[in-house]
Amino acid sequence: MTNAPIIPLTDNHQAGRRVDLSSGKYLKLWQGPQHPGITGNMSLELTVSGDEIVDLRTHVGYLHRGFEKLMERRTYIQNFPIVCRICVPEPDFNEYLYAATVEELAGIRVPERANWLRNLTLEMARLASFLQWIGGQTGAFGMGVIGQWGITHRDYVLDLFEELSGGRIYHMYIIPGGVRGELPEGFEERARAVLDKVENLLGDIERAMFHNAVFKDRAKGLGVIPREMIDSYGITGPNARAAGVARDVRKDQPYLLYDQLDFDVVTASGSDTYDRAWVRFQEIHQSLSLIRQMLTRMPKSGPIHTQLPNPLHWKIPAGQTYRRAECTRGEYGYYLVSDGSGYPRRVYVRGPSYTHAVALMESMAVGANIADVAGLMVSFHTYPPEIER
Amino acid sequence: METSLVLKIAYAALSLFIAFNYGILLGATTYRIRARVQGRLGIRLYQPYLDIIKNNAKRTSISHGIMFYLGPIFRITGGVGTFLFIPMIYGSVVFSNFSFAGDVLLVLYFIFFGQLGMALGAGEGGHPYSAIGVSRGLAQMTAFEVPFTLAIIALAVQHNTLSITEIIAAQQGGILNWSLFTNPAATAAALIAFLGMNMGNPFSVVTAPQEIPIGPPVEYHSNYLGLLQTNRSIFNSAKLILFMNLFFGGATNLIVMIIKTFLIYMITVIIGVAFPRFRVEQSIRFFLVVPTLIGLVGLVIALW
């Protein structure tokens, strides 16, 4: 990342911080934490003048569970069921990154087939997460039909996760040393059937959403992120790619088997809500293709787990590492420090939602219409649970 | 009291009872159709009855002043008032209601009366979401009134009358005599305004839950909400019967009325499931351009 200068608050934004509520020209509104237009457990404090937002402040803390601190008091293996809970809709990236950092410090080699299975679950998680997001994005503009379609098809993917891991939301499938279980018999056929269903759905969604005049009216030109903000705000993922920045950890620093798989980094140039939606929509297509490639090319047999030391007395050599992966929202990272004991000295989780839901949202909402707050927030695709670790 | 007046009141009460139940079943059917499009089963047809009974059985201890109490009363007065001046079945003594020579103007007034009352009531509640919903609702209402009024004026000029019964009479004798065919522009303008009147997508921002307010109802609960739900059923039936009478040749019996009004209502349902919603200023811009121009064309056709 370049050392781009921090962009100062816009004039509008600074004016927003100076509003005089007693003047009667402004109204203070709270959106969330319980509100259908908010994405998860956070709230937005809006100062509006008529329908225009002059200031927005974000408030998090409603879901703080202290995971990072908790992990310092638990053994490495005890932390494994905790990490997935950091991001509810897409927990698998936490499992993978935690396992990868532990394996790197402990010098553990993961069997090849386990890497294929890990990669498969990460793409399935991406697909499920995007299907949930598309429901949120259209729902925020009042198009509940696509929301229901998306959630229904996400459930088909969750059915596959349930078969694979026993859990629909928290899978706890990727563990240090490999994965927890083999693919069930007939899984590949059932997975392909689900992919076909999702592909059919995408055709309907494209016609109903992206060719819809009202959706275009609402989404085009809304929340345009200037390209110069990308680095200074630490914006990653589809939010950056919609601004024309072809940045994707899967290509830039390939992990697992992404260097052996065929996919493109989708970009756009408009950087508005419509383009962000379009980039994510294309990434759903990419995800379907990646899952199909993996189902075809994955070794049909082989070990899926490395023998670990006794987990109750497992000490990891002192050291530190940072591993990252590309989740649906952008760059997800885990920083792990070991002091050589049986407990991590420090675990730090870098979730993209922290940047996108707080700094970016506060900046981009100023000047927008209050009816667009929900649509704008969903267009940044944020999951507040990962802000509060 | 004269026997004929007593009978007229009894007939009107019967009409109101039918309209209320029809409105409720229509609403429930709509929910089910929407649900099927979304891939769900939807509610049972009797669910709205349970909702109304439950809400009317509740009481509140919150007071926001007299105007707050009167809001739903104004609303239901608007709904019932609208209905009572619209003949439900053409040529029927029982279902003619209180229609008279200038009833179009009175109905126009009643259609907007309820919303104004609600605005005053919800504004009294003091909740900022209500205020936003009210301002959005009134702004949008002002906008869709323009094409709707143009369409009504076009019909009045075309048929040289301000009586709904006479407008229906002018459309008898064949399907091609319906205003839909004699003045398609006025019909189109009115139907677009009807979408706004129903506050369904794409004109649902007034009561949009995601976009901050869910409108005035955010403050109305318990029996207030029960009244509003009752009104919604009656008002829906009234609007549909009015549109059927003005543009689709009216109905000579209850079955024809049900078929025609159901099909008219499906227009809003289909558009509602296929579109997201406009922001309020986008709605206003749309109403003041597209249907208004179409309404003006309708007026020209009528004058020609």
Side-chain angles (χ1 to χ4, degrees), chain A residues 79-339:
Chain A
N79 284 331
F80 154 67
I82 288 182
V83 290
C84 53
R85 285 165 169 80
I86 289 174
C87 178
V88 184
E90 201 179 11
D92 307 77
F93 285 88
N94 293 280
E95 297 175 8
Y96 163 66
L97 286 167
Y98 177 68
T101 49
V102 170
E103 286 155 3
E104 186 176 325
L105 290 183
I108 296 169
R109 274 185 64 82
V110 177
E112 188 196 355
R113 185 165 156 72
N115 273 336
W116 281 98
L117 290 169
R118 284 180 173 190
N119 215 333
L120 179 71
T121 50
L122 291 191
E123 279 309 314
M124 282 166 53
R126 188 186 313 279
L127 183 59
S129 174
F130 273 142
L131 288 170
Q132 185 172 6
W133 160 83
I134 209 160
Q137 184 66 80
T138 48
F141 292 137
M143 207 172 186
V145 173
I146 293 180
Q148 294 287 342
W149 292 347
I151 294 297
T152 303
H153 285 72
R154 172 179 177 258
D155 256 38
Y156 295 140
V157 181
L158 298 189
D159 288 344
L160 294 176
F161 270 118
E162 190 174 4
E163 262 194 70
L164 185 62
S165 67
R168 295 179 70 78
I169 304 298
Y170 300 127
H171 312 127
M172 292 173 268
Y173 181 67
I174 300 173
I175 57 171
V179 293
R180 210 157 43 79
E182 261 295 354
L183 289 182
E185 200 171 321
F187 182 87
E188 183 180 337
E189 290 72 36
R190 288 188 291 279
R192 285 187 190 279
V194 169
L195 299 182
D196 291 343
K197 273 187 200 173
V198 174
E199 190 144 49
N200 287 338
L201 172 75
L202 294 184
D204 292 340
I205 289 179
E206 183 169 348
R207 281 189 293 278
M209 180 178 172
F210 291 98
H211 298 170
N212 190 309
V214 180
F215 180 75
K216 283 183 187 172
D217 262 10
R218 292 292 303 269
K220 278 195 180 281
L222 174 64
V224 178
I225 305 173
R227 196 169 167 143
E228 56 269 26
M229 276 179 75
I230 301 295
D231 279 348
S232 59
Y233 274 66
I235 297 165
T236 56
N239 291 339
R241 291 195 283 277
V245 179
R247 181 181 294 154
D248 189 324
V249 181
R250 292 175 294 177
K251 282 279 187 201
D252 302 338
Q253 277 195 344
Y255 53 96
L256 292 173
L257 300 150
Y258 281 109
D259 53 351
Q260 299 174 38
L261 297 169
D262 180 29
F263 70 102
D264 297 319
V265 177
V266 184
T267 58
S269 56
S271 197
D272 55 11
T273 298
Y274 185 89
D275 273 10
R276 287 192 284 277
W278 180 249
V279 166
R280 290 190 183 102
F281 186 69
Q282 294 307 317
E283 290 194 7
I284 300 178
H285 281 289
Q286 300 260 348
S287 210
L288 293 176
S289 160
L290 284 167
I291 295 171
R292 286 195 177 111
Q293 288 177 49
M294 284 184 273
L295 289 171
T296 306
R297 294 171 53 189
M298 185 187 301
K300 301 298 175 206
S301 61
I304 58 165
H305 196 259
T306 304
Q307 187 67 39
L308 293 179
N310 181 344
L312 297 176
H313 304 286
W314 190 19
K315 290 185 178 170
I316 288 184
Q320 56 182 320
T321 184
Y322 178 74
R323 296 294 294 264
R324 53 187 187 152
E326 185 75 22
C327 72
T328 49
R329 277 103 50 230
E331 180 183 326
Y332 213 101
Y334 260 64
Y335 175 62
L336 177 70
V337 182
S338 168
D339 57 7

Side-chain angles (χ1 to χ4, degrees), chain A residues 12-49:
Chain A
N12 263 350
H13 204 164
Q14 285 175 342
R17 304 269 156 148
R18 291 196 300 267
V19 296
D20 175 15
L21 286 174
S22 63
S23 68
K25 284 165 63 183
Y26 305 101
L27 182 68
K28 190 74 103 174
L29 282 176
W30 283 83
Q31 185 166 342
Q34 280 86 36
H35 192 281
I38 203 89
T39 58
N41 307 67
M42 64 180 290
S43 64
L44 306 176
E45 182 188 357
L46 307 166
T47 309
V48 299
S49 172

Side-chain angles (χ1 to χ4, degrees), chain A residues 30 139 141-142 149 218 371-372, chain B residues 37 129 201 210-211 274 277 279:
Chain A
W30 283 83
F141 292 137
W149 292 347
R218 292 292 303 269
D372 283 332
Chain B
V37 176
Y129 288 8
N201 281 356
Q210 291 93 343
E211 283 132 318
R277 58 175 78 95
R279 284 196 307 267

Side-chain angles (χ1 to χ4, degrees), chain B residues 190-301:
Chain B
L191 281 178
I192 296 172
F194 181 59
L195 295 175
M197 218 179 277
N198 271 355
M199 288 192 277
N201 281 356
F203 307 110
S204 61
V205 75
V206 179
T207 54
Q210 291 93 343
E211 283 132 318
I212 298 239
I214 53 167
V218 78
E219 275 290 279
Y220 285 116
H221 50 88
S222 61
N223 43 359
Y224 305 123
L225 189 58
L227 270 181
L228 294 177
Q229 287 170 325
T230 307
N231 169 68
R232 197 175 301 155
S233 306
I234 296 169
F235 195 39
N236 243 353
S237 300
K239 283 183 290 187
L240 287 167
I241 293 167
L242 176 68
F243 273 73
M244 174 193 74
N245 286 342
L246 295 179
F247 302 102
F248 298 90
T252 48
N253 59 56
L254 276 175
I255 293 169
V256 173
M257 182 210 87
I258 287 171
I259 293 170
K260 283 188 179 178
T261 51
F262 182 79
L263 292 175
I264 297 168
Y265 198 56
M266 281 308 104
I267 297 171
T268 63
V269 175
I270 291 165
I271 291 175
V273 296
F275 283 95
R277 58 175 78 95
F278 279 126
R279 284 196 307 267
V280 71
E281 86 280 4
Q282 289 173 324
S283 295
I284 292 170
R285 205 178 304 133
F286 177 80
F287 280 125
L288 294 182
V289 178
V290 181
T292 299
L293 287 176
I294 297 172
L296 284 171
V297 173
L299 196 55
V300 171
I301 291 172

